[in-house]
Amino acid sequence: MEEEGRAVVVVRELEAERDCSGVEALERRCEVGPSGKMSLLTDLMGDPICRVRHSPAYLMLVAEMGVEGEIVGLIRGCIKIVTCGKKLARNAKSGSTAPSSNLILPVYTKVAYILGLRVSPSHRRMGIGLKLVSRMEAWFRENGVEYSYMATEKDNEASVKLFTDRCGYSKFRTPSLLVQPVYAHRVRLSNRVSVFKLSPRDAEVIYRRRFATTEFFPRDIDSVLNNKLSLGTFLAVPSEYYGGKGGFAGAAEAFLASPPESWAVLSVWNSMEVFKLEVRGVSRLKRGLARTTRLLDRALPWLRVPSVPELFRPFGIHFMYGLGGCGPRAEGMLRALCAHAHNLARDHGCGVVATEVAGCEPLARAIPHWKRLSCAEDLWCIKRLAEDYSDGSLGDWTKAPPGPSIFVDPREI
């Protein structure tokens, strides 16, 4: 308990039934985005912990003030084990001739993620945000977390200052958030590419074999792929690779043993079952133009008009994760997968398809997106919580240079 003048701020764990309406009211007052510009409003659909519920371990705290217990702040946090680096296997150090794909192993760490920090506009500059972060970090430490990180817009000065100046975080990664609206027409896939849906088991084998050393790769990838919100993992290969057949002709092991020269993979997460978003601060003129493009696209779909969906009331999103591939035609393969994901979102009635990739991701230019809806440079900040690191070969992850890719966990968007 802390006194701010005559007011008393109490930080406690969320009580869902008791706090649901207060949390929703606070979310409505805290639009996300620069003041005076377009902003996003989050509709939690009656579930305050929806954005962390599917994580291995999670906690939500609220800050209340006054006799009536008005909720003036909140924060969510979750814990998982992820890849933070890589190292040579013992047989590699001893000069073994084993296949090179088996020589590099992931280094895992226990990491925590902070998201959804909100403080009521009328109660800011009172230390409530700092108090919430401190209490959340205490829970992280109690659970053996080695690193804590958070994401924010790089232009959100208040958030950046709170974490870097007052909470001891340092700027770490600058990924790109890429968003494409879902059109009324279907996007055409190249006939030079075949897209197959993988079983969760085959998807897990491919991800663990090819992407396990990617930063932030979750050790429990099987839990992600088998989650009811995961709509599937899709593999793109040249049409001639399987002779144009309508299914995946072999198990993951067979594919990895003899892959085509070029291929790509991605998975789709159904976030519209978790929360919805709404765009605020758009002029009537722009709303009218958006409505016109949508009507034209519906009436004449063969024109393939790049229409704007109805984003000015609650809409759902599909999130693409686990994007990757290799070969000279990998960009084309990924482009086909993004088109497939778009059509899947269209069939589900989503407003947008989104993904987040490393700022230096080699395949980023193959991902269709609208610059106005996207964020070219997001900001992740990190803090080391543990006194001693468990693997001396890596050292301090906060000082590690960025790799070409990151794995963004869809359970925490």
Side-chain angles (χ1 to χ4, degrees):
M1 188 174 296
E2 178 178 315
E3 293 199 10
E4 302 285 351
R6 293 184 176 179
V8 176
V9 179
V10 177
V11 173
R12 58 172 175 80
E13 189 172 342
L14 173 84
E15 298 177 22
E17 293 186 6
R18 168 186 171 186
D19 299 328
C20 184
S21 59
V23 168
E24 290 182 341
L26 178 58
E27 290 279 2
R28 285 194 296 271
R29 295 196 300 271
C30 297
E31 296 179 350
V32 179
S35 178
K37 300 181 180 179
M38 287 194 303
S39 58
L40 282 175
L41 186 68
T42 304
D43 178 2
L44 301 176
M45 300 167 61
D47 183 5
I49 59 173
C50 61
R51 295 182 62 191
V52 292
R53 180 181 293 281
H54 297 275
S55 296
Y58 60 84
L59 176 69
M60 181 171 176
L61 301 173
V62 297
E64 63 180 9
M65 177 179 286
V67 178
E68 297 181 358
E70 177 189 4
I71 294 179
V72 296
L74 58 88
I75 192 172
R76 302 171 180 89
C78 48
I79 299 172
K80 58 185 177 180
I81 297 176
V82 304
T83 297
C84 61
K86 51 190 175 183
K87 62 182 179 181
L88 288 174
R90 289 183 179 179
N91 60 350
K93 296 176 183 178
S94 62
S96 169
T97 58
S100 60
S101 60
N102 294 327
L103 300 182
I104 306 299
L105 299 177
V107 176
Y108 292 110
T109 188
K110 200 170 197 179
V111 67
Y113 179 52
I114 291 176
L115 71 161
L117 175 62
R118 304 280 189 267
V119 176
S120 173
S122 59
H123 294 83
R124 291 173 183 169
R125 300 183 183 278
M126 299 174 62
I128 296 174
L130 178 60
K131 188 176 180 67
L132 285 165
V133 173
S134 298
R135 283 286 299 274
M136 184 61 72
E137 288 181 349
W139 180 69
F140 292 161
R141 289 188 173 92
E142 290 170 3
N143 285 275
V145 168
E146 294 179 292
Y147 294 97
S148 172
Y149 76 106
M150 52 77 66
T152 187
E153 296 178 349
K154 73 169 187 176
D155 296 330
N156 189 337
E157 294 183 4
S159 179
V160 174
K161 285 184 177 180
L162 171 63
F163 281 92
T164 59
D165 293 353
R166 305 191 66 188
C167 297
Y169 287 69
S170 56
K171 296 179 181 180
F172 188 56
R173 300 291 182 255
T174 53
S176 299
L177 179 63
L178 307 178
V179 180
Q180 179 189 17
V182 176
Y183 307 138
H185 67 270
R186 296 181 68 83
V187 176
R188 182 179 299 170
L189 276 67
S190 170
N191 57 14
R192 299 177 59 196
V193 179
S194 293
V195 174
F196 303 100
K197 184 176 181 179
L198 303 176
S199 69
R201 173 56 185 161
D202 281 336
E204 180 187 351
V205 170
I206 290 175
Y207 277 130
R208 289 196 188 279
R209 193 78 58 82
R210 299 302 295 261
F211 303 105
T213 57
T214 301
E215 267 194 331
F216 291 97
F217 181 85
R219 192 170 71 175
D220 65 335
I221 184 64
D222 54 318
S223 296
V224 180
L225 297 171
N226 284 287
N227 191 287
K228 64 181 180 179
L229 297 177
S230 190
L231 298 179
T233 300
F234 304 93
L235 178 72
V237 296
S239 294
E240 64 272 16
Y241 182 66
Y242 287 127
K245 295 180 181 179
F248 187 56
E253 288 85 352
F255 167 79
L256 290 169
S258 181
E261 184 182 25
S262 300
W263 58 275
V265 66
L266 66 74
S267 300
V268 179
W269 186 267
N270 186 14
S271 297
M272 71 179 297
E273 297 297 326
V274 180
F275 62 87
K276 292 188 177 181
L277 301 174
E278 181 180 349
V279 176
R280 295 282 184 91
V282 178
S283 67
R284 290 186 178 180
L285 175 61
K286 290 182 178 179
R287 287 172 180 255
L289 290 174
R291 189 177 301 111
T292 299
T293 65
R294 193 68 174 178
L295 291 173
L296 184 60
D297 194 7
R298 286 174 176 167
L300 304 169
W302 51 271
L303 287 178
R304 303 188 181 280
V305 175
S307 56
V308 182
E310 180 56 80
L311 304 179
F312 315 117
R313 57 185 178 186
F315 63 90
I317 70 172
H318 277 182
F319 187 80
M320 301 184 298
Y321 68 98
L323 288 74
C326 65
R329 294 171 56 189
E331 286 189 10
M333 302 291 150
L334 185 58
R335 198 171 288 113
L337 289 176
C338 290
H340 180 77
H342 169 279
N343 294 339
L344 185 64
R346 176 184 177 274
D347 294 343
H348 280 78
C350 282
V352 301
V353 177
T355 190
E356 191 164 19
V357 297
C360 51
E361 169 60 54
L363 296 176
R365 61 183 181 181
I367 303 171
H369 62 282
W370 283 21
K371 289 184 178 180
R372 181 173 289 273
L373 299 177
S374 303
C375 177
E377 192 173 297
D378 206 1
L379 177 63
W380 289 10
C381 298
I382 195 168
K383 178 179 180 178
R384 184 174 178 174
L385 298 181
E387 295 296 330
D388 297 310
Y389 190 71
S390 59
D391 191 293
S393 64
L394 177 69
D396 188 350
W397 189 21
T398 66
K399 297 177 174 60
S405 302
I406 57 174
F407 195 103
V408 179
D409 196 324
R411 296 173 294 187
E412 300 161 4
I413 62 171

